[in-house]
Amino acid sequence: MFRHQGKSRTLKHNLRIATILSFVAGIVNVTGFLAFKQLTTNVTGHFALFINDVSTFEFWKGTIYFLYILSFLFGSFTSSFLIEKFKKNKKLNVFVLPTIIECLIFIVIGILSNFIALKSPDLIVCLLLFAMGLQNSFVTKISNAVVRTTHLTGLFTDLGIDISQLFFPKIYLNRVALKANIKLRTYIILFFFAGGLTGGFFYSKVDLKLNTLIIAAVILLLSLFYDDFRYKLIKVRRKFSQRKDRIIR
């Protein structure tokens, strides 16, 4: 799920990572909005607000939206930089690094919210946008830009295009790939929605507040643990199979 790259990735691999990360993004999106009334998984709205403030010559007011945008950008840069820096290390799954940083951000924010009054909400928003930049960058790289999980605008656009192409079978002959794309995008949208419902339930009804972010971190950590365990199990099976073949020969 986190290890396969390029041509070695299948629809199954993309579905697994897409559902987990879109679910996490949904949790973060709703938690950030309920806590700070700000979008914390994408920068489209922030860019519009920044332009609005600049157009009315309220430059200082618009600075915070510019910082939001830069936070997401820096998260994307950091994720990609770490992946490129360590990708030659065959013993290290480079996609674990940005995921661990993302988890730490969620856990630290959640734990600190129980002990201190968060007097700088803008800083927390920047951290959440940084974390989402990390996630969007590494899932884009690992899937060769097939999977995006932190915002839905492009997904709905691509889904609309794919569905329209179903009506032209003589032009778009690869129906299997087309249906696979529709399935993948539908899963991402549904799990983003499910993550949002989950985040809203735990934030408001269970009254976990920012501790809801810890749930997102736990989901990510469990997925990493599962992926690593499964990878090691496959390696053991291959070694056992190779030894068995040698004995038979």
Side-chain angles (χ1 to χ4, degrees):
M1 179 168 58
F2 284 90
R3 292 177 180 274
H4 295 85
Q5 300 174 50
K7 295 180 179 179
S8 65
R9 288 194 70 80
T10 64
L11 174 62
K12 194 173 183 179
H13 294 138
N14 285 334
L15 281 174
R16 284 176 178 171
I17 198 168
T19 51
I20 291 169
L21 296 184
S22 59
F23 188 81
V24 166
I27 292 175
V28 174
N29 188 49
V30 168
T31 302
F33 185 78
L34 290 175
F36 309 112
K37 299 298 183 288
Q38 295 289 351
L39 301 174
T40 52
T41 58
N42 65 83
V43 295
T44 307
H46 299 312
F47 189 79
L49 291 170
F50 171 67
I51 294 298
N52 178 67
D53 289 337
V54 171
S55 67
T56 56
F57 301 101
E58 295 182 278
F59 299 107
W60 184 249
K61 183 181 176 183
T63 302
I64 187 58
Y65 299 113
F66 185 64
L67 290 176
Y68 289 167
I69 296 167
L70 286 181
S71 297
F72 192 93
L73 175 65
F74 187 56
S76 177
F77 164 80
T78 303
S79 181
S80 182
F81 179 83
L82 290 172
I83 290 168
E84 295 297 330
K85 179 74 174 177
F86 296 103
K87 69 179 181 181
K88 291 183 180 180
N89 187 341
K90 301 298 181 181
K91 295 181 180 180
L92 177 67
N93 181 1
V94 290
F95 295 100
V96 168
L97 296 174
T99 310
I100 291 295
I101 296 173
E102 182 180 353
C103 290
L104 287 174
I105 290 171
F106 295 157
I107 291 170
V108 169
I109 292 173
I111 292 175
L112 287 180
S113 68
N114 297 311
F115 301 102
I116 60 174
L118 300 176
K119 297 180 180 179
S120 302
D122 290 329
L123 175 61
I124 307 302
V125 173
C126 285
L127 285 172
L128 292 178
L129 283 165
F130 175 82
M132 288 294 96
L134 283 168
Q135 177 175 303
N136 203 45
S137 180
F138 81 73
V139 76
T140 299
K141 290 183 73 69
I142 197 173
S143 67
N144 280 343
V146 173
V147 179
R148 302 291 176 94
T149 61
T150 62
H151 52 280
L152 302 182
T153 307
L155 278 168
F156 273 104
T157 302
D158 293 339
L159 181 61
I161 292 171
D162 290 338
I163 293 174
S164 72
Q165 291 176 354
L166 286 175
F167 293 91
F168 302 94
K170 293 182 180 180
I171 300 176
Y172 302 98
L173 303 177
N174 195 344
R175 311 293 283 177
V176 175
L178 189 57
K179 290 179 180 178
N181 287 336
I182 292 173
K183 183 178 181 180
L184 176 63
R185 282 158 188 152
T186 302
Y187 269 56
I188 295 173
I189 292 168
L190 290 176
F191 274 85
F192 189 94
F193 181 71
L197 288 177
T198 303
F201 175 78
F202 281 101
Y203 185 96
S204 301
K205 297 298 182 182
V206 183
D207 202 31
L208 287 183
K209 301 302 181 186
L210 286 173
N211 287 301
T212 306
L213 294 172
I214 298 177
I215 296 174
V218 169
I219 292 171
L220 285 173
L221 290 173
L222 286 175
S223 65
L224 285 176
F225 175 79
Y226 168 78
D227 193 58
D228 188 58
F229 174 77
R230 192 168 177 274
Y231 176 72
K232 289 179 179 178
L233 187 63
I234 291 172
K235 286 182 69 176
V236 170
R237 285 178 178 175
R238 284 177 180 173
K239 287 182 180 180
F240 179 77
S241 179
Q242 289 173 355
R243 288 177 182 177
K244 190 176 180 180
D245 289 340
R246 290 172 185 173
I247 293 172
I248 293 174
R249 290 176 185 176

